[in-house]
Amino acid sequence: QVQLVESGGGLVQTGDSLRLSCAVSGLRFTLDHYTIGWFRQAPGKEREGVSYIASSDGSESYADSVKGRFTISRDNAKNMVYLLMNSLKPEDTAVYYCAVDYNNLATMNSFMYNSWGQGTQVTVSS
């Protein structure tokens, strides 16, 4: 059974940084065989893609709203995926989720992801 557990969220001020972690277990193959994505959902809004790291070459993709501020990375040995968030803004406030795309479509489309964590709250005060 695949499990994803996010951690690292919290309450911070504008301009601060946070590093979110996603612990992945139960995958059939090593972490680098899958595309892993980070998503977020703010109250009253739809879930949106933030970033993903592709399986094959580890290429990264970011939503325009976070480009230059957020960095995704993974540690295959530890089965961990991270999201380093710098220069946080109040509009980054949301529940953040990590997810696995078994088909390696390398997309920001949340419907293409198969397994999800429970989320971690990030709140950025102005």
Side-chain angles (χ1 to χ4, degrees):
Q1 182 179 358
V2 177
Q3 287 189 324
L4 298 92
V5 180
E6 302 94 336
S7 61
L11 173 63
V12 297
Q13 295 184 334
T14 297
D16 285 350
S17 298
L18 276 177
R19 190 181 77 157
L20 304 184
S21 299
C22 174
V24 187
S25 61
L27 290 174
R28 182 175 181 183
F29 303 108
T30 57
L31 194 61
D32 55 346
H33 281 75
Y34 305 91
T35 294
I36 310 295
W38 281 99
F39 298 83
R40 67 186 181 186
Q41 189 166 19
K45 295 187 177 181
E46 293 186 354
R47 187 172 297 186
E48 64 171 342
V50 174
S51 179
Y52 68 79
I53 183 164
S55 62
S56 53
D57 57 1
S59 58
E60 305 159 19
S61 183
Y62 298 92
D64 288 343
S65 58
V66 306
K67 202 170 294 184
R69 300 188 296 122
F70 290 12
T71 304
I72 191 171
S73 62
R74 68 183 175 206
D75 185 330
N76 296 321
K78 295 182 178 179
N79 282 335
M80 296 290 294
V81 182
Y82 305 100
L83 185 69
L84 176 61
M85 307 186 295
N86 294 323
S87 303
L88 283 162
K89 305 175 181 180
E91 50 264 45
D92 294 318
T93 294
V95 178
Y96 284 71
Y97 303 87
C98 60
V100 179
D101 165 18
Y102 297 146
N103 298 307
N104 295 310
L105 298 175
T107 174
M108 288 285 196
N109 185 340
S110 63
F111 291 101
M112 299 296 108
Y113 286 75
N114 311 99
S115 294
W116 292 79
Q118 83 290 345
T120 185
Q121 176 71 48
V122 172
T123 303
V124 185
S125 64
S126 57

